[in-house]
C-alpha cells in the first residue's frame, strides 16, 4: 500500500468516523431537544395550573371581600330601615290612642291592685286617669302617647304600661315581620 493509498484510506476512515460522530451528535441533540420539549410542555402545564390556582384564589378573595362589603351595606341599610320603622311606629302610637277610646281603660285594668301614689299619662287622658285613679296624683306628660306609668307610694313599685314601652318590648318580634312584609327575600 502506497503513500497515497494510505492517505486515502485514512481519509475514508476519518470521513466515516466523522459521519458516525455527526450521527451520534445529531441523535444526542434530537434526544436533548425531545427531553427539552417534554420538560417545556410540563413547565407550561404546571404554569397553567399555577396560574389557574392563583386566579381562583384571587377570585375567592375578591368575592369574599365583595360579600363582606355587601353584608356590611345590607346591615347598615337594615339598621337604617329598622330605625325608620321604629320612628314610624312611635308616630302611629298617638293615632292608636285616638282611634281606640277604650284603650286607656283596658291598660288601666291590667295594672296590679295597688294604691298608686302617682300616675303619669298623656295630657288628653288626664280626666280618664283622674276617674280611674281617684287617690293618685295625676301628672300629664306629652311624651306618653297612650297608657300610663303608675308609681306606688315611696316608689317601691313602678309599672310602665305605656304604648311606648309595649312597642319597645314587642319590637324585636315585630321588626322581622315588618321587614319581611316590606321586602320579602327572593
Amino acid at each position: 500500500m502506497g503513500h497515497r493509498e494510505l492517505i486515502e484510506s485514512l481519509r475514508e476512515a476519518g470521513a466515516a468516523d466523522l459521519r458516525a460522530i455527526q450521527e451520534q451528535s445529531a441523535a444526542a441533540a434530537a434526544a436533548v431537544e425531545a427531553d427539552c420539549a417534554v420538560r417545556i410542555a410540563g413547565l407550561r402545564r404546571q404554569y397553567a395550573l399555577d396560574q389557574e390556582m392563583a386566579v381562583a384564589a384571587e377570585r375567592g378573595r375578591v368575592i369574599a371581600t365583595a360579600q363582606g362589603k355587601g353584608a356590611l351595606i345590607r346591615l347598615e341599610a337594615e339598621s337604617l330601615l329598622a330605625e325608620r320603622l321604629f320612628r314610624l311606629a312611635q308616630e302611629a302610637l298617638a293615632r292608636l290612642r285616638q282611634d281606640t277610646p277604650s284603650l286607656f281603660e283596658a291598660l288601666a285594668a291590667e295594672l296590679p291592685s295597688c294604691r298608686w301614689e302617682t300616675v303619669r299619662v298623656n295630657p288628653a287622658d288626664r280626666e280618664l286617669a283622674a276617674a280611674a285613679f281617684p287617690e293618685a296624683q295625676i301628672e300629664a306628660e306629652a311624651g306618653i302617647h297612650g297608657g300610663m306609668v303608675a308609681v306606688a307610694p315611696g316608689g317601691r313599685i313602678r309599672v310602665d304600661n305605656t304604648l311606648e314601652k309595649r312597642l319597645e318590648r314587642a319590637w324585636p318580634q315585630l321588626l322581622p315581620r315588618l321587614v319581611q312584609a316590606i321586602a320579602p327575600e327572593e
Side-chain angles (χ1 to χ4, degrees):
M1 177 185 251
H3 175 66
R4 285 185 193 193
E5 294 171 344
L6 181 60
I7 291 176
E8 189 57 35
S9 170
L10 287 173
R11 273 190 193 157
E12 286 177 12
D17 286 345
L18 181 61
R19 280 191 303 274
I21 290 171
Q22 286 175 338
E23 288 173 6
Q24 286 176 351
S25 47
V32 168
E33 282 183 27
D35 184 51
C36 285
V38 168
R39 287 184 182 185
I40 289 171
L43 288 172
R44 285 185 175 148
R45 280 192 303 275
Q46 187 60 47
Y47 177 75
L49 287 173
D50 291 347
Q51 192 175 22
E52 285 178 25
M53 290 174 59
V55 167
E58 184 62 23
R59 182 182 308 121
R61 281 191 293 275
V62 168
I63 289 171
T65 299
Q67 287 174 336
K69 287 180 181 178
L72 286 175
I73 290 170
R74 181 183 176 110
L75 285 173
E76 185 176 305
E78 287 175 354
S79 176
L80 292 172
L81 176 62
E83 290 172 15
R84 175 77 173 127
L85 290 173
F86 190 74
R87 282 193 308 272
L88 289 171
Q90 286 176 318
E91 292 170 9
L93 294 178
R95 288 192 307 273
L96 180 62
R97 182 183 55 75
Q98 293 167 353
D99 294 346
T100 314
S102 61
L103 180 63
F104 185 87
E105 288 85 12
L107 293 173
E110 291 178 355
L111 293 177
S113 295
C114 183
R115 185 170 108 24
W116 300 107
E117 181 178 60
T118 306
V119 176
R120 294 189 338 242
V121 297
N122 182 280
D125 292 335
R126 187 181 261 280
E127 290 178 20
L128 292 170
F133 307 101
E135 297 176 8
Q137 176 185 347
I138 307 301
E139 296 177 1
E141 188 174 312
I144 297 175
H145 291 95
M148 71 283 310
V149 176
V151 181
R156 290 187 338 263
I157 300 173
R158 181 181 181 276
V159 177
D160 187 339
N161 200 18
T162 61
L163 295 179
E164 291 81 8
K165 185 52 89 172
R166 286 172 168 260
L167 176 61
E168 182 182 312
R169 286 186 195 127
W171 192 247
Q173 290 81 32
L174 288 174
L175 180 60
R177 292 178 185 167
L178 290 172
V179 170
Q180 182 65 30
I182 292 171
E185 291 188 27
E186 297 173 12

